[in-house]
Amino acid sequence: MKIVLLGPPGAGKGTLAKGLKDHFNLMHISTGDMLREEMKNGTDLGKEAKKHIESGGLVPDEIVTKMVENKLSNDKNVKNGFMLDGFPRTRTQAEDLDKILKKINLPLDCVLSLEASLKIVLERLTGRRVCRACGALYHIKNMPSKKEGVCDKCGGELYQRADDNEKTIKNRMEVYTESTEPIIDYYKKQGLIKTLDANKEAEEVRDFTIKLFNG
Ligand code: ADP
Ligand code: AMP
């Protein structure tokens, strides 16, 4: 299965991807995670990305698309199926993704559009915590770790992303509405969109998606 997960920041794309990954044995390709890894390693790409990420803007299309192209073209596990999370985010990225997938002969099966209200995504983003070691996702109210600040899975330290503050979140939501939401239409025209009610509890969203794919 080759899937794109679309939806506003905080809709639960990463959480759903982690929930589906093992069930369907799919690769989870998150451009946000890849860029944060570059930032952590202090690479030139990471330094460039940091400026955009911390203001809530988008990293330039060429940079992100090249990164995704490298992954899709070189990782042999890609052919077993993947979930793209956070990519594409612009019409140009969507068109370039089509070209890349055509070249490697792995067309998309489906684009899952996660719909969640503004109130819900704001509450999710401000309460999000991430494990520094393994990337597991938590929420201070909805999905708290057993011990505050400590990852249940690996004991790593939980942190709040620098871009999960109110001012940056506002910018990210504007960027989503302006640049990313319109690509729902792009995929509708290709007959690929399936809509999910992402306001629901995480387990319910996951079970619904599994049923959707199992027919
Ligand atoms: P995205 O990848 O779309 O930005 P995340 O998966 O990181 O979103 O989720 C954002 C926050 O909301 C995280 O703190 C996560 O634990 C929480 N969350 C995700 N999905 C749900 C859900 N269905 N119900 C409640 N909280 C959720
Ligand atoms: P995410 O982890 O998906 O919330 O992404 C965090 C940030 O990384 C975004 O706010 C952007 O600055 C940047 N980013 C991630 N994916 C992309 C993309 N496809 N295009 C441009 N910027 C991206």
Side-chain angles (χ1 to χ4, degrees):
M1 234 161 10
K2 287 96 61 196
I3 309 169
V4 164
L5 299 174
L6 264 187
K13 302 180 293 296
T15 303
L16 178 62
K18 284 177 199 291
L20 296 178
K21 191 173 181 280
D22 294 332
H23 192 91
F24 289 117
N25 187 28
L26 300 172
M27 247 176 106
H28 175 200
I29 304 175
S30 156
T31 44
D33 285 351
M34 289 162 89
L35 292 167
R36 280 185 290 277
E37 187 64 25
E38 296 283 344
M39 278 163 58
K40 197 166 93 183
N41 295 334
T43 63
D44 288 344
L45 196 161
K47 282 178 197 147
E48 173 65 23
K50 190 174 163 54
K51 296 187 276 188
H52 304 282
I53 292 180
E54 291 192 347
S55 69
L58 292 180
V59 175
D61 287 337
E62 319 77 78
I63 297 181
V64 187
T65 304
K66 193 79 219 149
M67 208 173 66
V68 172
E69 182 169 21
N70 284 341
K71 185 82 184 163
L72 290 174
S73 310
N74 297 321
D75 194 318
K76 61 181 185 323
N77 294 319
V78 161
K79 66 175 184 323
N80 299 326
F82 57 81
M83 291 169 289
L84 281 167
D85 161 8
F87 184 92
R89 261 180 157 97
T90 64
R91 168 87 185 212
T92 308
Q93 291 181 15
E95 288 170 354
D96 285 340
L97 176 64
D98 279 347
K99 288 182 203 146
I100 296 165
L101 294 177
K102 197 161 177 205
K103 204 154 61 176
I104 58 173
N105 202 19
L106 291 172
L108 288 176
D109 296 305
C110 165
V111 176
L112 277 180
S113 171
L114 282 77
E115 294 186 344
S117 72
L118 183 63
K119 181 170 173 278
I120 291 252
V121 296
L122 291 180
E123 190 253 341
R124 285 184 185 169
L125 289 172
T126 45
R128 170 160 60 191
R129 296 293 182 272
V130 188
C131 175
R132 223 180 261 292
C134 75
L137 292 163
Y138 294 88
H139 186 280
I140 49 170
K141 285 201 201 105
N142 306 341
M143 303 177 201
S145 57
K146 289 195 187 84
K147 190 169 171 218
E148 199 185 321
V150 181
C151 178
D152 294 348
K153 298 190 174 80
C154 77
E157 180 207 358
L158 303 187
Y159 79 105
Q160 181 168 29
R161 275 171 46 174
D163 58 346
D164 279 347
N165 65 75
E166 268 181 48
K167 185 164 175 282
T168 313
I169 289 171
K170 190 169 171 287
N171 290 346
R172 287 158 68 203
M173 298 313 293
E174 283 171 11
V175 168
Y176 174 75
T177 309
E178 184 144 321
S179 305
T180 309
E181 209 169 35
I183 63 180
I184 295 178
D185 245 12
Y186 174 81
Y187 285 124
K188 258 191 195 151
K189 290 196 180 110
Q190 298 188 21
L192 287 173
I193 286 279
K194 285 196 163 61
T195 304
L196 274 186
D197 181 0
N199 294 302
K200 300 218 165 76
E201 204 228 309
E203 222 176 82
E204 221 179 310
V205 176
R206 175 179 171 271
D207 291 349
F208 180 88
T209 313
I210 290 174
K211 280 201 198 104
L212 192 76
F213 290 134
N214 285 335

